[in-house]
Amino acid sequence: MSNWSAGAAAGAAPLLPLLLTGCLAEDSTAVSRGTLSGDILGAGATFPEPLFQEWMSHYNTTVETGTSIDYQAIGSGEGIEQFLTESVDFGSSERYLQESELMVAREVRGCEAVQFPVVFGAVVIAINDDDLDGLVLDAETIAGIYDRRITRYDDPAIAALNPGLELPHREIVPVHRSDGSGTTYVFSSYLTNEVQSWADKYAEGTDIDWHDDTVGGDGNDGVIQAVEASPGGLGYVNQSYALSNGLATAHVVNEDGTPVEPTLEATTAASEEAEIPDDFQFNIHDIGGEGYPITGANWIFAYECGYDDDTAEVLRDFWTWTVTDVEADSFATRLGYAPMGRGLEQRVMEEIQRIDSAD
C-alpha cells in the first residue's frame, strides 16, 4: 500500500482516496467565463511545463480570452527564489515551501504564502538504447550508478535484476540536472529514503553535489539531449519528456519488490491512498502494490495579499479551472500526469480561495 510521508507529521489529515476526476464534469465548481482580464506571470519547475503550456494556451484562447498567463520553466530552485523576491505572480516546484521559506515570504510580503499541489507525475529513468527498454533497476542500483560504483550495464547487480536479458558491456553515462530542480528533489528524496549510503553522502535537495564522473544537463530538455548524445546515456526526467522523445525507460522495483513500468496508471496507483497534512507539506515514499515508486507532486505558490483585483481573480479562476475541469484533466492524462482527485480537490479549492483573501 502507498504511504505518503508528511513533512509535518503532526496534524495529518485522515487518509483520503485520490480518485481520478473523469467523473467530475457534472459537479465541478463553476467559475466565470469570458469576463476576466489580466496578465499573469509564473516561473519554476520544468517538470510540469508541457502540461502548463497546454493548460495556459487553452485557458487564454478558449476559456478566458481576455487573459494572458505566461510561465517560465527555469527550474524549481529559481522558481522558489523568484516567488520569494516577488518577481512573479506565482511560483511552481516539485517540493513544498519549507518553514524557513514560509517565514521569508511573510517578511517580504507581509502576509502568508499559499501553497497547494495541482498534479502528480513520475520521474523516470530514460536510457539511450531501445534494446534496454524495460531494464529493471532498483534504488540500490540507481544510487550505485550515480555514485559511480556501478559503471557498466552488465554489472552483476544489474544482471541479477534482469535474468535472461543480454546486457551490453557498455559504460553507463549518468546524466543529472545541473540547475536547481524539483525533479532532482523527487529523485534524490526517493534515493535518500531507500538507500542509507545515498542519504549519508548526498541526501535530498533541488541541488546535489554530484559525483565528478556524471554529466549535467540544464532542464529536462538538457538531460534528454545529454542522454541522446551518448550510447550509454542514462538520466532521470519527467515522464512526458521521455515519452515525447521516444526514449527507452527503466522499470523500477517498488517497496513490494515489483518492477513497475512508469505509466499513468502506475503513477495514479502511487497516489490512490494519501495521508496529506493540512499544510500540504509531504513527500511520496514507500510505494508498493502496483505503484511506481519515483512519484512526485507539483506545488503552486501564491500570496494571501498584495495582488491587484484583476490579477487575484485570474489566479483563483485559472487554478480552479485546472483542478476541476474535465478538459484540463484530459490534457494531464494525455501527457502522462495524474490529475487531482475528488477528495483532495475540495481541500485544494479551499487553499486557492485564500489567494489575496487578506486584502
Side-chain angles (χ1 to χ4, degrees):
M1 184 176 73
S2 303
N3 177 43
W4 294 54
S5 172
L15 205 63
L16 295 174
L18 296 185
L19 303 175
L20 287 180
T21 56
C23 60
L24 297 182
E26 295 181 359
D27 59 355
S28 292
T29 302
V31 291
S32 60
R33 290 292 171 261
T35 60
L36 303 184
S37 62
D39 297 334
I40 308 300
L41 176 63
T46 62
F47 181 86
E49 184 191 16
L51 176 58
F52 281 12
Q53 294 303 334
E54 292 272 11
W55 275 350
M56 292 171 186
S57 175
H58 182 83
Y59 184 86
N60 291 339
T61 61
T62 305
V63 181
E64 288 290 349
T65 58
T67 66
S68 174
I69 305 177
D70 187 29
Y71 181 73
Q72 299 174 351
I74 55 177
S76 289
E78 186 66 22
I80 290 172
E81 182 176 344
Q82 289 206 14
F83 172 72
L84 294 178
T85 58
E86 301 182 284
S87 301
V88 294
D89 298 306
F90 69 89
S92 165
S93 175
E94 272 67 72
R95 74 161 175 83
Y96 54 83
L97 294 176
Q98 298 171 348
E99 292 305 320
S100 60
E101 293 160 334
L102 292 170
M103 184 178 300
V104 170
R106 285 192 293 270
E107 292 173 353
V108 168
R109 193 79 161 199
C111 63
E112 298 292 330
V114 176
Q115 61 177 334
F116 49 89
V118 290
V119 74
F120 301 94
V123 174
V124 308
I125 308 301
I127 307 167
N128 185 14
D129 188 341
D130 290 343
D131 291 337
L132 294 178
D133 191 31
L135 179 75
V136 176
L137 299 173
D138 60 11
E140 288 284 353
T141 54
I142 295 169
I145 287 169
Y146 276 88
D147 194 32
R148 303 307 283 148
R149 292 178 284 108
I150 296 175
T151 60
R152 294 191 179 274
Y153 282 100
D154 61 352
D155 185 277
I158 297 178
L161 293 169
N162 296 272
L165 179 62
E166 186 175 349
L167 298 170
H169 187 64
R170 180 186 305 136
E171 183 178 3
I172 302 173
V173 180
V175 183
H176 61 80
R177 288 285 291 273
S178 58
D179 55 326
S181 161
T183 306
T184 295
Y185 179 81
V186 173
F187 178 73
S188 61
S189 179
Y190 162 72
L191 291 179
T192 298
N193 182 67
E194 296 288 335
V195 183
Q196 187 60 49
S197 61
W198 181 277
D200 294 340
K201 188 172 182 179
Y202 297 100
E204 65 183 22
T206 56
D207 291 292
I208 301 294
D209 186 14
W210 298 99
H211 193 286
D212 289 342
D213 293 335
T214 59
V215 176
D218 190 16
N220 279 291
D221 286 327
V223 172
I224 290 290
Q225 290 169 9
V227 168
E228 292 179 327
S230 171
L234 175 151
Y236 62 89
V237 293
N238 170 266
Q239 182 185 23
S240 64
Y241 285 84
L243 288 172
S244 62
N245 286 274
L247 288 176
T249 57
H251 294 192
V252 180
V253 177
N254 70 11
E255 191 72 8
D256 289 339
T258 304
V260 180
E261 180 182 1
T263 62
L264 172 62
E265 292 77 15
T267 302
T268 301
S271 59
E272 280 184 337
E273 297 178 358
E275 188 174 337
I276 301 178
D278 292 338
D279 58 14
F280 294 114
Q281 297 181 21
F282 61 91
N283 292 312
I284 305 174
H285 287 158
D286 304 321
I287 300 301
E290 298 179 353
Y292 179 75
I294 318 179
T295 296
N298 177 259
W299 280 260
I300 299 300
F301 313 133
Y303 286 105
E304 277 193 332
C305 68
Y307 298 108
D308 63 65
D309 290 344
D310 287 343
T311 298
E313 192 168 5
V314 173
L315 280 172
R316 289 191 296 265
D317 189 83
F318 174 70
W319 292 115
T320 295
W321 176 80
T322 66
V323 301
T324 62
D325 191 88
V326 172
E327 187 72 18
D329 283 352
S330 71
F331 287 127
T333 55
R334 179 168 56 82
L335 291 170
Y337 299 88
M340 191 63 59
R342 183 188 293 268
L344 185 58
E345 174 190 300
Q346 299 304 315
R347 298 172 59 194
V348 169
M349 283 297 302
E350 293 176 7
E351 196 73 3
I352 290 173
Q353 294 309 308
R354 287 180 54 204
I355 296 175
D356 214 43
S357 62
D359 276 351

